[in-house]
Amino acid sequence: FYRDKKKIGHMGEMTYDEMRALLSGPYDGWERVISGEELVVWRRPRPTNTALYEYRAKGRYGDVAPADLVCMQIDLAYRKTWDTYAAQLEFIETIEDKHYCYWEVACPRPLTNRDYVFYRQVFAEKDDDGKEYCLFASFAGTHPKYPEGTKRGQPVRVTEFTSICGYIPDHADFYKAGVTYEYFTYDDPRGSIPKWLFNLATKTIIPGAMKNLRKGALEFGKSEKKTMNWDDFRKTGVIEIKKGDKKKEEDEAEKA
């Protein structure tokens, strides 16, 4: 765990290469729980908490442009129009390429809402064929503007949360429809939710969430309310991964 002088912290730090390897790695030890033409979902017990599961998913949107798919998640004002689980969703600030956000998730009664302080990072890497691979990652964090609630009835703070999604476009044109996604997620809801109930809910929520993403991205592409596009966001909000830089790091690691 890291915390700086402003009491802004983050957990679960992973390198770009580690995240890509997690998304595209083998499925040994993973149980397939959903098999469909457009979506497959796997799970495995969390190594540090076997009562909960980690999930991986892989699917494809043939009619969605990757630029719209990424930007509709970054545009929080627009996200509020399609994310039915978001009781509150606010951007806090950006620090060293980490975009800090606050998110309160509406839970069905009698459950108490959950809330998150998380930071997200967006990476882009040009493959040899000119296609731009995009990785969207979010991790649990802390921020003094949104301290954890301590009173009865306040949302339960989720302090273990990881969400990583890689987007593989069909075309070199990031605005052209056709994209495959690879997804990993884990969080611990804390509180009194039975673990078996949470695992069951997660298993059913993932397909619904993926359908919402597709619907939201299609509407985003036509919307006049969107506040950003990929070209503009890429200039300031994306961490660009260059193959030359990676090769240099690998050579230096071998020398060490």
Side-chain angles (χ1 to χ4, degrees), residues 57-128:
K58 186 172 184 176
R60 171 175 164 73
Y61 301 127
D63 54 355
V64 172
D68 292 334
L69 186 58
V70 174
C71 288
M72 58 88 75
Q73 297 176 72
I74 298 168
D75 188 337
L76 297 187
Y78 179 78
R79 179 169 176 170
K80 294 176 183 178
T81 67
W82 63 266
D83 189 345
T84 56
Y85 298 107
Q88 187 176 349
L89 186 59
E90 306 294 340
F91 170 74
I92 305 174
E93 63 176 323
T94 298
I95 302 176
E96 297 179 349
D97 296 320
K98 294 179 175 65
H99 311 287
Y100 282 82
C101 304
Y102 173 79
W103 180 32
E104 180 183 344
V105 177
C107 294
R109 290 178 175 245
L111 302 178
T112 303
N113 285 0
R114 265 54 185 172
D115 70 351
Y116 303 67
V117 170
F118 68 92
Y119 73 88
R120 64 189 185 194
Q121 293 178 293
V122 183
F123 301 83
E125 179 182 6
K126 281 284 182 76
D127 288 334
D128 293 334

Side-chain angles (χ1 to χ4, degrees), residues 19-194:
M19 289 187 284
R20 282 207 69 165
L22 177 61
L23 292 176
S24 61
Y27 294 96
D28 298 341
W30 292 83
E31 173 194 5
R32 183 180 295 199
V33 292
I34 296 176
S35 296
E37 293 183 3
E38 297 185 345
L39 174 67
V40 182
V41 179
W42 298 263
R43 72 178 185 179
R44 71 178 179 188
R46 178 76 170 172
T48 56
N49 184 353
T50 55
L52 292 171
Y53 288 92
E54 300 174 331
Y55 288 85
R56 287 173 66 184
K58 186 172 184 176
R60 171 175 164 73
Y61 301 127
D63 54 355
V64 172
D68 292 334
L69 186 58
V70 174
C71 288
M72 58 88 75
Q73 297 176 72
I74 298 168
D75 188 337
L76 297 187
Y78 179 78
R79 179 169 176 170
K80 294 176 183 178
T81 67
W82 63 266
D83 189 345
T84 56
Y85 298 107
Q88 187 176 349
L89 186 59
E90 306 294 340
F91 170 74
I92 305 174
E93 63 176 323
T94 298
I95 302 176
E96 297 179 349
D97 296 320
K98 294 179 175 65
H99 311 287
Y100 282 82
C101 304
Y102 173 79
W103 180 32
E104 180 183 344
V105 177
C107 294
R109 290 178 175 245
L111 302 178
T112 303
N113 285 0
R114 265 54 185 172
D115 70 351
Y116 303 67
V117 170
F118 68 92
Y119 73 88
R120 64 189 185 194
Q121 293 178 293
V122 183
F123 301 83
E125 179 182 6
K126 281 284 182 76
D127 288 334
D128 293 334
D129 57 5
K131 298 176 184 177
E132 188 163 52
Y133 177 88
C134 181
L135 190 147
F136 194 103
S138 299
F139 297 94
T142 61
H143 197 285
K145 185 176 179 180
Y146 290 95
E148 182 174 350
T150 57
K151 297 181 180 179
R152 184 179 179 85
Q154 289 184 308
V156 176
R157 175 62 49 88
V158 176
T159 56
E160 292 186 49
F161 165 67
T162 300
S163 175
I164 305 169
C165 199
Y167 298 109
I168 308 165
D170 289 356
H171 313 281
D173 183 354
F174 210 60
Y175 288 89
K176 192 171 182 179
V179 59
T180 296
Y181 62 85
E182 297 173 320
Y183 178 58
F184 171 88
T185 186
Y186 166 77
D187 67 347
D188 183 346
R190 301 177 66 202
S192 57
I193 299 179

